[in-house]
Amino acid sequence: LGKLAPEVLAQHARAVVAKLRDPQPVVVVKALYALCQLAPTALAAYAAPVLQQLAHREKRVCEAAAYALARLEPAVLSVHANEVAALLTHPDSGVAASAIYTLGGVEPSALVELATKIAPFLENEGTKEGTDARAAAVYTLGKLEPAALTLYVEPIAKLLGDASEAVRQAAAKTLAQLDCAFLLAHQAAIETLLYDTHGGVRQAAVYALGKLAPHALGPHTEAIAQRLDDQEGGVREAAVEVLGMLEPTAVTVYVDALTRLLEDESIFVRRAVVAVLGHTAAAAEIDLEADSSAMLYHATDETAAQHILATQHMKGGESGVAGGGIYFAATASDARRKARTDGSVVLRARVDLGRIKLLEAMDPRTTSDSLARSGYDSVRLTALHGDEFVVYHPRQVNRIERV
């Protein structure tokens, strides 16, 4: 039922809601995920029974309920913010993290009031304890207006050295939203992240330094230029874009290195180079393929790969960091690094991305319907091992082949 069009699912929503009383937690979880596919206005009518699941004995039900509530419109979610905030004291940090992410969807004024309850999760930096909740707290506080966010700059900046790559990445992204004056105080720590072991952290650090004023960016350009040879396409692309912010005379120093990237395996890197060197003959000759599609990569196991190749059909999952979609990487190497198991098969496909929505942070409430309402066809999300691209319809994936 969760795969039906939202307007069709709405006709059966009462039957799905009834399964929230099922004795088997797995059925309750499936029912909650199905309700997530409703339009936010339709889901609002069933907010009360979904809220009741926040007190369920099974943590996976609590997490699924928080996930469903995150689909509500900000004004509606704000009304129930205190009930969601009650999960912040849950003994399982994963449940608390789900609640924190959900609270990031409330109205700005409501988030200011909740921030004092979320900020304590920034503590214990450098430890594995509460990693998910720490990362969630950084992302959610990053949705505050800049003036309100300044109250939490110092504890967030400390997390640039956190043991968790997800927390380091979130901290760099959040600090990048601040005015240059605040970034200057932490520029040295951010530059250190250019050499982080995780691509998503390096990419976030490049973009954060790119928010500096041109005169302040200058001392970091050599370190950023080194990222032009990074193993991850998203990091190379970020380095190209940030170097492109320099004065034209300063960019000339890196023309040779940038020109080499016109042959990069990632179309997104090539596009970034053309945007910077568009006036050069080499850039003018490059074929960038169609604007609305790209060859992307997906890693899976052998059994699934054989089925996908035989049917030429890929289907999305029920959930994910950008909702239940079909996830791709920009390069085959990125796809391998994202693989959940060793020996995964990498598939290549022509993916019709259409208009791409850039997500600065995880948003598990994203659906094909919510994207369509905002005028987008796909999602691009910065991830730890290279950018991820997400589409939500199998028809957007064509010409699937084994790499």
Side-chain angles (χ1 to χ4, degrees):
L1 289 173
K3 297 185 183 300
L4 295 172
E7 62 274 13
V8 179
L9 175 60
Q11 300 172 22
H12 306 282
R14 289 185 180 278
V16 176
V17 170
K19 302 316 294 179
L20 296 180
R21 298 189 296 271
D22 196 277
Q24 294 297 325
V26 65
V27 177
V28 180
V29 170
K30 294 287 187 181
L32 287 165
Y33 280 134
L35 292 174
C36 289
Q37 307 310 313
L38 290 171
T41 50
L43 178 59
Y46 305 103
V50 173
L51 283 163
Q52 291 175 3
Q53 304 310 311
L54 294 176
H56 200 281
R57 66 184 185 280
E58 289 274 345
K59 74 168 190 175
R60 54 182 170 166
V61 175
C62 298
E63 291 173 337
Y67 177 91
L69 292 169
R71 292 275 296 120
L72 295 171
E73 295 289 352
V76 178
L77 179 57
S78 296
V79 173
H80 305 292
N82 288 333
E83 292 164 278
V84 177
L87 284 182
L88 298 180
T89 59
H90 196 282
D92 187 279
S93 63
V95 175
S98 298
I100 294 170
Y101 279 123
T102 298
L103 292 173
V106 302
E107 293 183 315
S109 57
L111 184 56
V112 171
E113 296 179 10
L114 292 164
T116 55
K117 297 180 180 180
I118 296 171
F121 288 91
L122 299 176
E123 299 174 2
N124 299 322
E125 69 273 8
T127 70
K128 292 184 178 180
E129 180 183 354
T131 293
D132 292 343
R134 257 192 339 276
V138 178
Y139 276 121
T140 297
L141 292 175
K143 295 187 177 184
L144 289 168
E145 296 294 334
L149 178 58
T150 57
L151 297 175
Y152 306 100
V153 168
E154 293 307 317
I156 290 174
K158 288 182 180 179
L159 296 178
L160 291 171
D162 195 87
S164 163
E165 60 271 14
V167 176
R168 296 195 300 275
Q169 179 180 351
K173 281 187 170 184
T174 298
L175 292 175
Q177 300 177 46
L178 297 169
D179 292 337
C180 181
F182 288 98
L183 275 178
L184 284 172
H186 305 287
Q187 58 183 318
I190 294 173
E191 181 174 318
T192 300
L193 296 184
L194 294 178
Y195 307 96
D196 198 272
T197 55
H198 290 267
V201 179
R202 298 194 298 275
Q203 184 180 24
V206 173
Y207 280 129
L209 291 173
K211 295 297 181 69
L212 292 170
H215 70 277
L217 177 59
H220 304 288
T221 53
E222 284 301 319
I224 292 172
Q226 292 179 26
R227 295 301 101 204
L228 294 174
D229 296 321
D230 198 277
Q231 63 178 341
E232 308 234 4
V235 182
R236 297 195 299 276
E237 180 188 2
V240 171
E241 291 181 356
V242 171
L243 290 175
M245 299 174 186
L246 297 171
E247 296 294 333
T249 53
V251 176
T252 57
V253 177
Y254 306 105
V255 166
D256 289 344
L258 290 168
T259 301
R260 287 196 297 272
L261 290 180
L262 288 170
E263 303 297 329
D264 195 272
E265 65 175 334
S266 167
I267 186 176
F268 301 100
V269 174
R270 302 198 299 274
R271 284 176 176 166
V273 175
V274 169
V276 175
L277 302 179
H279 62 285
T280 67
E285 293 175 1
I286 199 73
D287 179 9
L288 286 178
E289 308 174 47
D291 285 342
S292 63
S293 66
M295 296 302 292
L296 299 177
Y297 300 83
H298 176 87
T300 187
D301 60 64
E302 180 64 39
T303 302
Q306 290 182 8
H307 177 75
I308 291 169
L309 290 168
T311 61
Q312 287 292 296
H313 179 89
M314 297 180 75
K315 64 179 182 178
E318 293 181 335
S319 61
V321 293
I326 310 169
Y327 287 69
F328 292 90
T331 68
S333 56
D334 286 351
R336 289 190 181 95
R337 280 189 289 273
K338 293 173 185 294
R340 296 180 180 178
T341 58
D342 293 333
S344 294
V345 177
V346 177
L347 304 177
R348 176 171 53 226
R350 170 71 68 181
V351 182
D352 183 8
L353 296 169
R355 189 174 179 217
I356 305 171
K357 180 177 182 179
L358 179 62
L359 289 184
E360 296 292 346
M362 293 181 283
D363 188 357
R365 14 176 219 182
T366 305
T367 65
S368 60
D369 190 50
S370 66
L371 269 185
R373 287 198 302 271
S374 56
Y376 293 96
D377 306 291
S378 63
V379 158
R380 181 179 184 179
L381 173 71
T382 301
L384 291 175
H385 297 295
D387 284 5
E388 291 191 78
F389 300 85
V390 192
V391 295
Y392 300 84
H393 293 290
R395 64 174 179 270
Q396 291 176 267
V397 184
N398 300 284
R399 290 166 48 187
I400 307 170
E401 59 188 12
R402 184 190 294 257
V403 174

